């Protein structure tokens, strides 16, 4: 049997796990549930300008551009992630601009119709950083603009944690589930094990900071399942994810 490649990485440094992350990223939950839920909540993006924070290798930046959004700017903290995004842009140009930047301190780089952030908020290690990220989102939106983000499920129970085993995911809170607690994540696929850490934030804390920053409305969208996903995998496969998810979508209007 092929030995699994072990990748250890603590904290939010994606430079060293960028390539391995690409492997775990292409999974059924991302494609048929997370991405489907994201685009269902987003609606028609044709002609809408987008700032995609924590764009990683540009997975959603490209999907948004293909759906007709533009201009699209992707920003990520990891140089390696941005290198990979730019390499894909060079290979198949879509007109996306990628920049290295920290979403917690970025400030205004434009006035966008939409700001997106799939897996960013839970990388904030403390409330000041979470507030910094939410302020950046606010500053980059036009009045009436929308933010869509996917983040860690804010009402986790032991059942939610146990349910992830069905997908090769182990999430270990490093303390009682409270704001800022470190969450140790281990993703295992056929040929790789990826470990990384992020943080737990509760629903009232997210809502308080979004409101204090100036957002008018905050809506939570549970994960849905695309018709394609329903067809490709049996209902039992989806049960754990749909009943006890590890992620949720957040939509806020300025
Ligand atoms: C799990 S990946 C998600 C990438 C992409 N959104 C996707 O769904 O494929 C998380 C990304 O967040 C980035 N990140 C973490 N903290 C950040 C920050 N403060 N500013 C910008 N990017 C950040 C990491 O470098 C990493 O690329």
């Amino acid at each position: 049997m092929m030995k699994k490649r072990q990748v250890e990485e603590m904290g939010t440094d994606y430079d060293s796990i960028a390539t391995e992350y690409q492997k775990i990223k292409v999974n059924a939950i991302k494609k048929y549930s997370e991405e489907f839920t994201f685009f269902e909540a987003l609606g028609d993006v044709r002609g809408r300008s987008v700032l995609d924070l924590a764009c990683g290798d540009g997975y959603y930046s490209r999907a948004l551009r293909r759906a007709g959004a533009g201009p699209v700017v992707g920003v990520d903290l990891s140089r390696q992630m941005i290198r990979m995004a730019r390499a894909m842009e060079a290979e198949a140009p879509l007109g996306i601009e990628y920049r290295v930047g920290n979403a917690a301190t970025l400030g205004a780089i434009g006035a966008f119709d939409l700001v997106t952030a799939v897996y960013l908020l839970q990388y904030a290690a403390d409330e000041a950083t979470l507030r910094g990220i939410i302020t950046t989102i606010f500053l980059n939106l036009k009045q009436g603009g929308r933010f869509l983000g996917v983040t860690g499920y804010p009402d986790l129970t032991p059942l939610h944690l146990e349910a992830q085993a069905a997908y090769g995911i182990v999430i270990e809170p490093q303390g009682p589930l409270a704001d800022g607690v470190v969450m140790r994540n281990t993703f295992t696929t056929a040929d790789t094990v990826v470990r990384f850490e992020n943080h737990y934030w509760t629903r009232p804390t997210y809502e308080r900071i979004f409101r204090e920053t100036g957002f008018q409305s905050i809506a939570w969208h549970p994960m849905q399942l695309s018709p394609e996903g329903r067809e490709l995998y049996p209902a039992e496969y989806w049960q754990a994810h749909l009943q006890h998810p590890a992620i949720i979508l957040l939509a806020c209007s300025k």
Side-chain angles (χ1 to χ4, degrees):
M1 210 178 100
M2 203 170 81
K3 197 171 174 287
K4 282 184 184 174
R5 175 139 186 242
Q6 293 273 338
V7 179
E8 292 274 355
E9 187 55 45
M10 292 304 152
T12 59
D13 175 11
Y14 267 75
D15 279 345
S16 47
I17 61 166
T19 310
E20 296 303 313
Y21 176 72
Q22 269 195 324
K23 292 181 192 161
I24 60 163
K25 192 169 64 66
V26 188
N27 64 33
I29 289 180
K30 189 162 188 87
K31 193 162 184 211
Y32 303 116
S33 179
E34 173 196 300
E35 190 177 336
F36 178 73
T37 307
F38 178 85
F39 278 100
E40 283 286 295
L42 205 51
D44 189 357
V45 291
R46 282 174 296 177
R48 303 270 175 200
S49 54
V50 185
L51 173 60
D52 185 25
L53 294 172
C55 64
D57 70 3
Y59 183 94
Y60 277 96
S61 312
R62 286 187 297 279
L64 285 157
R65 189 78 188 95
R66 288 194 190 106
V72 175
V73 178
V75 172
D76 199 280
L77 191 58
S78 158
R79 285 180 190 282
Q80 183 55 22
M81 284 292 196
I82 291 296
R83 225 172 273 141
M84 284 164 30
R86 286 184 181 148
M88 280 185 258
E89 174 67 23
E91 214 168 275
L94 289 167
I96 302 168
E97 181 193 337
Y98 292 106
R99 297 189 191 183
V100 175
N102 184 346
T105 53
L106 189 69
I109 62 164
F112 296 84
D113 296 311
L114 294 163
V115 174
T116 56
V118 179
Y119 303 117
L120 169 62
L121 300 174
Q122 74 268 54
Y123 285 96
D126 50 50
E127 193 174 311
T129 307
L130 184 60
R131 192 177 289 276
I133 292 171
I134 295 171
T135 301
T136 294
I137 295 167
F138 188 82
L139 291 175
N140 283 286
L141 278 174
K142 290 178 184 165
Q143 197 57 41
R146 290 172 75 212
F147 165 70
L148 253 80
V150 173
T151 192
Y153 196 73
D155 311 300
L156 283 178
T157 68
L159 280 177
H160 290 81
L161 297 173
E162 282 160 27
Q164 308 315 310
Y167 312 106
I169 301 169
V170 178
I171 305 175
E172 297 164 294
Q174 301 300 296
L177 282 174
D179 283 324
V181 83
V182 171
M183 307 293 273
R184 200 164 280 173
N185 296 267
T186 308
F187 281 61
T188 305
T189 67
D191 65 344
T192 189
V193 179
V194 182
R195 293 194 173 89
F196 57 92
E197 285 183 358
N198 49 31
H199 299 265
Y200 185 67
W201 294 101
T202 59
R203 194 182 292 246
T205 298
Y206 277 128
E207 293 188 356
R208 175 173 52 79
I209 301 177
F210 271 98
R211 286 204 193 285
E212 285 171 359
T213 307
F215 281 91
Q216 303 286 329
S217 71
I218 302 158
W220 298 89
H221 297 246
M223 286 295 121
Q224 299 173 43
L225 179 57
S226 73
E228 207 183 354
R230 206 179 293 276
E231 232 170 68
L232 285 170
Y233 293 78
E236 306 80 68
Y237 175 81
W238 295 112
Q239 203 176 332
H241 167 66
L242 294 175
Q243 287 183 0
H244 296 103
I247 54 173
I248 196 163
L249 188 138
L250 178 59
C252 306
S253 300
K254 177 168 172 178

